[in-house]
Amino acid sequence: MQTGVNTPHAVPEVVVETRNLTKIYRDFWGRQKVRALKALDLTIYKGEIFGLLGPNGSGKTTTMKLLLGLLFPTEGQAIVLGKDATDVSKNERIGYLPEETYLYRFLTGEETLDFFGRLFNMPAAVRRQRTAELLELVGLTGARRRQVREYSKGMARRLGLAQALINDPDLILLDEPTTGLDPIGTRAMKDLILRLKDQGKTIIMCSHLLADVQDVCDRIGILYQGELKELGRVDALLKVRDVTEIRFSGGDGALVDDVKQVIERRNGKIHFIGNPTTTLEELFLQIIRESEAHPGRRVRGGISGDGR
């Protein structure tokens, strides 16, 4: 899954490295108030989607702000794109989507992206081209001349992502990118993140929504009370190593009985035999797709299949 990671003939390029990174918030008198981050050691490679996972208050946003140089570490160091995180010049190569989308409500979508392009001193022709490309990417071309105050939460979130990409960054930091979105908007946001990975971008994504991280991330780090509790590839961390799953189609009940007898004869333990399930998100999106394709037709006779 990872691009440029674990390839046998290439040394992976390090984009972000933290060493003993610690942040302590103090009160007016200088006394320790909150230890938001404790001795974080982390390495993130070029071309991967890395997820920072944890409950609210676990240190995810603090980590983001330390990497951006918006906060200064109490101890330790963060190296981002080959520079110390406190060197703001490296932010020219970074895109950032904060947890809350702060946009000027009376600007249109086009004007918003043009404004952020000016902050990077982009020539007018480049701004126009980049604005058109990004509005197309996030599906807002049709709403490009509407004021942001008329945008839905999902539209504003997608425009926020577009502004984070205006400078064509190498590293993208996304803080709770799907917050407040409905299932359709959430799926669209995750698809956009995967498309950015295909373009070779490195993405760090903070979230407390487990399904979002599982769907798009190559590796994850789990934070709790400011400490890194787990680190690894998603597929490896989720694998239940002492259970083997067998899936097959065709045959009849006799075949299932034969399989059960073989497992029991070899002293195996059967935990479950039945039909596989999908996720609620996938079921919801499938129903929406089928409803759009066949207006007026009920998709199925009930979620349970018996009309209840």
Side-chain angles (χ1 to χ4, degrees), residues 138-292:
V138 300
L140 291 176
T141 300
R144 64 189 184 278
R145 293 193 174 93
R146 289 172 57 186
Q147 290 184 333
V148 172
R149 64 175 177 170
E150 300 175 1
Y151 280 18
S152 67
K153 180 68 178 282
M155 294 169 69
R157 203 69 180 144
R158 283 183 281 151
L159 184 62
L161 178 61
Q163 67 84 18
L165 301 176
I166 191 69
N167 58 325
D168 194 19
D170 298 311
L171 173 63
I172 304 167
L173 306 183
L174 306 176
D175 195 353
E176 305 288 355
T178 61
T179 183
L181 300 184
D182 63 21
I184 297 174
T186 296
R187 184 67 262 174
M189 179 65 75
K190 290 189 286 191
D191 288 342
L192 282 171
I193 293 171
L194 291 171
R195 287 176 64 183
L196 292 171
K197 170 187 167 65
D198 291 339
Q199 296 173 13
K201 308 294 186 184
T202 303
I203 301 163
I204 303 176
M205 171 179 161
C206 284
S207 182
H208 61 273
L209 301 176
L210 308 184
D212 293 351
V213 174
Q214 180 177 343
D215 283 350
V216 302
C217 291
D218 299 304
R219 290 192 303 140
I220 61 172
I222 299 177
L223 290 170
Y224 182 67
Q225 294 182 344
E227 293 185 282
L228 184 65
K229 298 295 186 179
E230 187 61 271
L231 176 67
R233 287 188 58 90
V234 175
D235 51 3
L237 292 175
L238 296 181
K239 185 179 293 183
V240 182
R241 300 189 181 278
D242 58 349
V243 175
T244 299
E245 183 177 66
I246 300 174
R247 295 190 181 190
F248 65 90
S249 59
D252 51 21
L255 176 58
V256 175
D257 290 338
D258 290 343
V259 172
K260 290 170 62 177
Q261 292 174 16
V262 170
I263 293 173
E264 291 168 350
R265 192 163 59 244
R266 294 297 189 91
N267 297 318
K269 182 179 180 181
I270 298 174
H271 296 279
F272 170 78
I273 292 179
N275 298 112
T277 60
T278 184
T279 63
L280 185 58
E281 178 193 60
E282 182 55 39
L283 174 65
F284 179 90
L285 294 175
Q286 179 184 347
I287 289 173
I288 296 299
R289 287 193 294 265
E290 293 180 9
S291 297
E292 290 176 344

Side-chain angles (χ1 to χ4, degrees), residues 57-131:
S58 60
K60 305 186 303 296
T61 298
T62 294
T63 301
M64 286 278 200
K65 291 182 177 180
L66 286 167
L67 296 180
L68 288 166
L70 299 176
L71 294 175
F72 291 92
T74 306
E75 298 177 22
Q77 184 182 29
I79 305 297
V80 180
L81 296 168
K83 297 182 179 181
D84 192 282
T86 57
D87 185 345
V88 295
S89 68
K90 56 91 171 63
N91 289 351
E92 295 179 359
R93 300 171 56 194
I94 296 177
Y96 176 46
L97 176 65
E99 183 175 0
E100 295 293 334
T101 308
Y102 299 104
L103 300 170
Y104 293 103
R105 299 176 66 249
F106 295 101
L107 294 181
T108 67
E110 276 185 334
E111 290 169 342
T112 297
L113 296 186
D114 183 77
F115 170 78
F116 283 100
R118 289 173 183 267
L119 295 181
F120 286 97
N121 295 319
M122 297 169 60
V126 176
R127 292 200 308 272
R128 284 193 296 270
Q129 178 182 354
R130 191 76 183 137
T131 295

